[in-house]
Amino acid sequence: GQSLEQPSEVTAVEGAIVQINCTYQTSGFYGLSWYQQHDGGAPTFLSYNGLDGLEETGRFSSFLSRSDSYGYLLLQELQMKDSASYFCAVRDTGGFKTIFGAGTRLFVKA
Amino acid sequence: SQTIHQWPATLVQPVGSPLSLECTVEGTSNPNLYWYRQAAGRGLQLLFYSVGIGQISSEVPQNLSASRPQDRQFILSSKKLLLSDSGFYLCAWTKTYEQYFGPGTRLTVT
């Protein structure tokens, strides 16, 4: 079957660093992506890892280990506006399908 | 630049009534198109995807159907809505590995 697991909630303080983990089990794998969704809004793309290693985009970084079927999103210098849900997602079946995890709700406290 | 439109933004429909949600994409040709549903506080459930006109792949057997009458138009339909059809419906298109989402339709079935 296809499944992605990530923590349901994470709480951190403003200015801190937080890591959101994601493990996956899929029949095919064409890369791990991360999306951010604020309450009431649509998801927006944050990052993509097609190969093992770390990808950095400003305050956000994402890591992938294909041998461990594992990845994480790292958010640095947390800001209140980072409070949102974060979803990991895997491209599957020839790259046509994207399967999403259940999401991690991040609460940033002052 | 590419833009994705969805309408209506919100919809309240009685059980047993029909449904038609429309999604159109501008600024790209032959996109892969997707319909997702998101229950409150939950992840994104892939409902349908399409790689071309008239080509629909269904992921979840239910009372919903999808059609792609034109290259950049994707329609989600139902003949008779159920209470369980309530949710946030999102249309998306794929550019390589990134998915871009429309603003969504919030459907409440009463």
Side-chain angles (χ1 to χ4, degrees), chain B residues 12-87:
Chain B
V12 180
Q13 293 283 102
V15 168
S17 63
L19 173 74
S20 181
L21 301 180
E22 188 164 344
C23 168
T24 59
V25 182
E26 295 179 357
T28 186
S29 59
N30 197 30
N32 290 343
L33 296 173
Y34 303 79
W35 278 112
Y36 291 91
R37 178 170 64 198
Q38 186 177 34
R42 306 292 294 274
L44 284 77
Q45 178 188 27
L46 178 62
L47 302 176
F48 301 95
Y49 68 95
S50 171
V51 300
I53 296 174
Q55 300 178 62
I56 307 295
S57 296
S58 174
E59 289 299 300
V60 184
Q62 53 197 342
N63 67 318
L64 300 174
S65 62
S67 62
R68 185 168 177 175
Q70 299 180 44
D71 181 44
R72 289 171 287 179
Q73 184 185 30
F74 204 21
I75 298 172
L76 182 70
S77 304
S78 174
K79 292 182 179 178
K80 289 185 178 182
L81 283 169
L82 307 173
L83 283 175
S84 58
D85 290 325
S86 292

Side-chain angles (χ1 to χ4, degrees), chain A residues 2 30 33 35 37 40-45 47-48 87 91 93 95-103, chain B residues 32 34 36 38 41-44 46 49 51 59 88 90 94 96-104 106:
Chain A
Q2 301 169 327
Y30 288 85
S33 300
Y35 291 79
Q37 185 180 30
T44 56
F45 172 81
S47 68
Y48 171 79
F87 296 89
R91 294 176 70 216
T93 314
F96 295 128
K97 289 169 45 177
T98 299
I99 307 300
F100 285 79
Chain B
N32 290 343
Y34 303 79
Y36 291 91
Q38 186 177 34
R42 306 292 294 274
L44 284 77
L46 178 62
Y49 68 95
V51 300
E59 289 299 300
F88 190 37
L90 291 153
T94 294
T96 57
Y97 48 79
E98 304 169 32
Q99 284 213 317
Y100 293 92
F101 289 84
R106 200 163 299 279

